[in-house]
Amino acid sequence: MVNPLIVMQEAVQLALMGKGYTMTNPNVGAVIVKNGRIIGRGYHTAFGMHHAEIEALKDCSESPEGADLYVTLEPCSSHGKTPPCTDAIIGAGIKRVFIGVVDPNPVNSNKGISKLMDAGLEVFLGYAEDLCAEIIEDFAKFIYTGKPYVTLKAATSIDGKIATANNDSKWISNESSRIYVQYLRSVSDAILVGIDTVMSDNPMLNVRNFSRDKEPLKIVLDTNLKIPIDSNVVNDMGRYLILATSVNDEEKISKLEKFGVRTIVCNKKDGLVDVNDLTDRLIKANILNILVEGGSKVFASFIKEGLVDKLYLFTANKIIGGDGIPLFGSIGVRNMQDAVKCHLVDSKKFEDDTLNVYKFSDYRKNILELTEKYRNRCKIVCSQG
């Protein structure tokens, strides 16, 4: 016999294979088990493509009739970009469905469970729910707030500096840390920096060391549209580049368009691109996961607007001193009670560097509460432990 928790954990690992491709769709994994053997696996591979359950049914090595389906998220019951998964599950003759968490989207929430139960299937709810909720926190934020999930990434000296006084930042962190950053890029929809970073470092902002079918988008905050035409992100990565500006300079925009660059003219706030306005525009383009890589003024803008969900902070055993550039620019805190709060959720070592991961939001809690709410409505009630 299979262990349901182990099977659901495999479904979670499958779901993670879709990170960086599903955009405003949730990451979902599915496994089909029959007579104690796994006969099918699937995951949501890309935005607008078949859902995990359909991929798992297509992957079956034998008929799924009478089998068990393990899926990290409640199957959809409505017709969106694809037909309802519940119809396919019922039509395939699946006998039992093990669900990690309830879908936070009110269009589907509890409706998929109800439809399966009405069709006579046994439904188990709440296996490995912590993991299943964790992998769709970004999707949950989108559902609850209509905003993208924003992650800051920074490397600092032990005295909190991201560069020296003359803007030299290569390299604060070591090579192992920088390789991990490439992984973070590879699972993001977009990488965002300010124009000062482009002017001083002339970065590519591409993904190295990790293969993926497409590059994440590059977003540059360029309030006054001063990006050089010969910069790397324009010349080499222009087709992936979005410039967020507050200047409608038609002549320069036309020149940039020849390199494939897209320009978004945003509102201005405090003399800079209004990041609230920008994120609203990005989510309408189905850009969900944004990795913000600096600099200090850009970090401060997102912090001040309450848009940040997670921070990956790499700390190197180096001291730069008071003339260096601090991690965060001014965010207007005058009293300690107004300081922005976050929670340490993970810590790793990369040789001499330390990575601390902080969370500013916890949409996982919302998903778990919703799952608990509907747990007793299932025919068979089960728990993670």
Side-chain angles (χ1 to χ4, degrees), residues 245-285:
T245 184
S246 297
V247 175
N248 194 4
D249 183 338
E250 293 183 2
E251 182 179 350
K252 186 160 187 181
I253 289 173
S254 178
K255 289 180 180 178
L256 291 164
E257 285 176 347
K258 293 177 181 178
F259 292 89
V261 178
R262 286 169 282 174
T263 304
I264 301 176
V265 181
C266 300
N267 297 332
K268 187 184 287 189
K269 185 173 183 178
D270 299 328
L272 301 170
V273 167
D274 182 347
V275 292
N276 246 319
D277 182 35
L278 173 61
T279 52
D280 286 341
R281 293 166 184 263
L282 293 176
I283 201 70
K284 288 177 183 176

Side-chain angles (χ1 to χ4, degrees), residues 44-57:
H44 186 37
T45 58
F47 181 77
M49 301 300 287
H50 287 306
H51 291 185
E53 302 94 320
I54 306 304
E55 292 290 351
L57 288 169

Side-chain angles (χ1 to χ4, degrees), residues 173-228:
S173 58
N174 62 37
E175 185 176 1
S176 296
S177 295
R178 298 197 299 274
I179 289 173
Y180 189 75
V181 169
Q182 297 302 315
Y183 163 73
L184 296 179
R185 287 182 174 185
S186 74
V187 295
S188 301
D189 296 327
I191 304 162
L192 185 149
V193 298
I195 186 60
D196 289 347
T197 298
V198 173
M199 300 291 277
S200 62
D201 296 344
N202 196 20
M204 293 285 291
L205 299 179
N206 60 342
V207 175
R208 301 177 293 277
N209 304 108
F210 291 88
S211 62
R212 62 176 271 154
D213 297 334
K214 64 181 180 69
E215 284 284 331
L217 294 169
K218 289 64 167 122
I219 302 170
V220 176
L221 302 190
D222 186 6
T223 306
N224 298 311
L225 201 59
K226 60 182 183 180
I227 191 167

Side-chain angles (χ1 to χ4, degrees), residues 155-157 159-172 200-201 296 318-327:
T156 73
S157 58
D159 54 340
K161 309 298 181 182
I162 60 173
T164 63
N166 64 353
N167 222 13
D168 180 18
S169 61
K170 292 184 178 179
W171 294 104
I172 292 178
S200 62
D201 296 344
S296 61
K318 299 172 183 176
I319 298 173
I320 292 175
D323 292 334
I325 299 173
L327 171 58

Side-chain angles (χ1 to χ4, degrees), residues 357-368:
V357 183
Y358 300 90
K359 275 191 176 181
F360 293 74
S361 63
D362 187 7
Y363 294 98
R364 183 183 59 88
K365 180 180 178 182
N366 300 73
I367 302 166
L368 294 176

Side-chain angles (χ1 to χ4, degrees), residues 83-101:
C85 290
T86 48
D87 291 357
I89 294 166
I90 294 165
I94 293 291
K95 181 180 180 181
R96 302 189 300 178
V97 181
F98 295 76
I99 298 171
V101 291

